[in-house]
Amino acid sequence: PRLLIRNVLPHDGAAMHEVKTETWDELCKWMPWTKEGLGTVDDAEKVARQNHAKFILREDIMMIALNEEGRLIAMTGLHRFDWTFRRFEIGYWVRTSEMGKGYATEIANALTQFAFGALDARRVEICAATENAASRRVIEKLGFDLEYVSQADALLPDGSVTGHAQYVRYDTKTLPALDVTWS
C-alpha cells in the first residue's frame, strides 16, 4: 500500500546510484556484486538500461520500489527464473535510511503474490546468507519454509566463507493480507 513497485526503466540510473551510495556499507556485507565497486551515475544508468532490455526479453526482472513521494526506497526483483517450470527467486535490499520500517517484508510479500498471481508460479524462492539475520527474519515472517541450510557455499564480499539458507513457498496461503494490484 505504501509503495509502487515497477521494473527499472531508462533514466532510473541516478536514483539507483543515490540509493546504492547511501546503502553501500551495508551492501558490502552481503552482495557479491559490490566487489566491482560503487561505480558512477553513468554506470548505474547503463545497468538500468541493460536490465530494462532483460525485462523486455524476459531474462530478468529487476525492479525498484518507490514511496508515495516517488523516492526510491529499495531495489528488488525476480531473478534466476525458469519460465518452463515457473520458478522465481526474489531478491531485495532497502536503502539504509528506510531500514526497519517493514518495507522489505511488504516488498517480498507483494512480489510473492505477483509471482503466483500474475506469473502463475509453481515455486518462489528467497535465499539469504546464513549470517544475514535481518533478511532471514523478513523471509520467516512471510511464512516461507526453510528448505535447506548450506554450511559453506560462497564467499562474502570481505572474503569470509558463508553458507546460505534457502526458503521456498508453493502458494500464497497464509501470506499476510496485502492490498496489491498489478497490470
Side-chain angles (χ1 to χ4, degrees):
R2 303 180 292 169
L3 300 172
L4 169 69
I5 302 171
R6 65 162 172 79
N7 63 294
V8 295
L9 297 171
H11 308 294
D12 283 338
M16 289 168 52
H17 185 71
E18 175 193 319
V19 72
K20 190 166 102 173
T21 300
E22 177 186 319
T23 313
W24 189 248
D25 290 342
E26 186 67 22
L27 294 171
C28 286
K29 295 177 187 175
W30 309 114
M31 303 297 184
W33 50 262
T34 59
K35 289 186 225 175
E36 299 169 16
L38 181 59
T40 64
V41 172
D42 287 341
D43 295 330
E45 181 58 29
K46 181 178 177 181
V47 168
R49 290 171 184 268
Q50 288 171 332
N51 279 278
H52 181 65
K54 289 179 183 180
F55 172 79
I56 292 167
L57 295 170
R58 297 174 52 135
E59 296 174 353
D60 191 76
I61 306 174
M62 179 186 276
M63 299 175 167
I64 62 174
L66 304 165
N67 69 8
E68 294 150 336
E69 292 81 41
R71 182 173 186 239
L72 198 155
I73 298 297
M75 297 296 301
T76 188
L78 296 168
H79 311 292
R80 292 171 285 285
F81 41 75
D82 177 338
W83 285 109
T84 303
F85 183 75
R86 312 217 60 89
R87 178 192 64 77
F88 301 88
E89 181 179 331
I90 295 173
Y92 54 84
W93 55 269
V94 177
R95 76 186 302 149
T96 301
S97 61
E98 301 296 337
M99 289 179 180
K101 297 179 182 178
Y103 287 119
T105 303
E106 190 173 314
I107 289 164
N109 186 357
L111 262 61
T112 302
Q113 293 195 38
F114 177 72
F116 285 110
L119 302 179
D120 199 28
R122 286 190 176 101
R123 175 186 173 98
V124 174
E125 304 169 352
I126 305 179
C127 188
T130 52
E131 298 88 359
N132 191 341
S135 191
R136 291 185 68 181
R137 273 193 306 277
V138 167
I139 302 163
E140 291 166 359
K141 197 182 310 182
L142 290 173
F144 276 73
D145 293 324
L146 180 61
E147 189 169 51
Y148 66 84
V149 177
S150 61
Q151 295 301 312
D153 64 1
L155 294 176
L156 292 172
D158 69 2
S160 62
V161 174
T162 189
H164 282 88
Q166 175 77 28
Y167 294 86
V168 65
R169 283 195 73 109
Y170 298 99
D171 57 43
T172 58
K173 295 175 186 167
T174 73
L175 273 177
L178 185 65
D179 181 19
V180 61
T181 58
W182 48 82
S183 55

